[in-house]
Structures are given as structure tokens and as C-alpha cells.
Amino acid sequence: PLATADLFRRIVERTPARRDQDHPRIIIYNNPKIPDRTAFILGNGPDPRPELIASAKKLESWGADFIIMP
């Protein structure tokens, strides 16, 4: 969650906006149900891909044009 907060802060700080309405629309979706990717790579945990795909499809249904994962 802190990586997401830091990324959002950086986007806001670097957006040349004069008022709130000049900022881009951003959807932040924090999904703590995604299995640990490192554990999966090391063979010690479930595959995170199904939940990652479901999350991406959910964001797409909400109107996301692209996804950034910090």
C-alpha cells in the first residue's frame, strides 16, 4: 500500500494542474487477496495470476485504460 501511495503522490506532484479538476482520473484498487508473488516464484505459495487477472478485468470494467502496479 505504501508503494501505491508514493506513486500516487508522485503523479499528483508531477501533474501540471492548476486546480483539482485538471488532474487525471485515477482508480486505486488495493487488493490484499493477491497471493505473494515471490512465494510463488520460489515454489512456496499459490499462483497469483488468477487474482491478478481478475483484478485487471475489474479495473477494465471500471474504465481503466491502462494499469500501473508499483
Side-chain angles (χ1 to χ4, degrees), residues 1-42:
L2 286 177
T4 299
D6 184 55
L7 174 62
F8 183 61
R9 181 185 55 77
R10 290 172 187 231
I11 291 169
V12 170
E13 289 176 349
R14 288 171 176 77
T15 299
R18 301 179 109 188
R19 57 192 183 128
D20 287 347
Q21 293 77 13
D22 295 335
H23 286 274
R25 183 176 69 139
I26 295 175
I27 301 167
I28 295 176
Y29 180 57
N30 184 59
N31 182 357
K33 301 296 183 189
I34 297 173
D36 185 273
R37 294 172 295 282
T38 302
F40 174 71
I41 291 168
L42 297 175

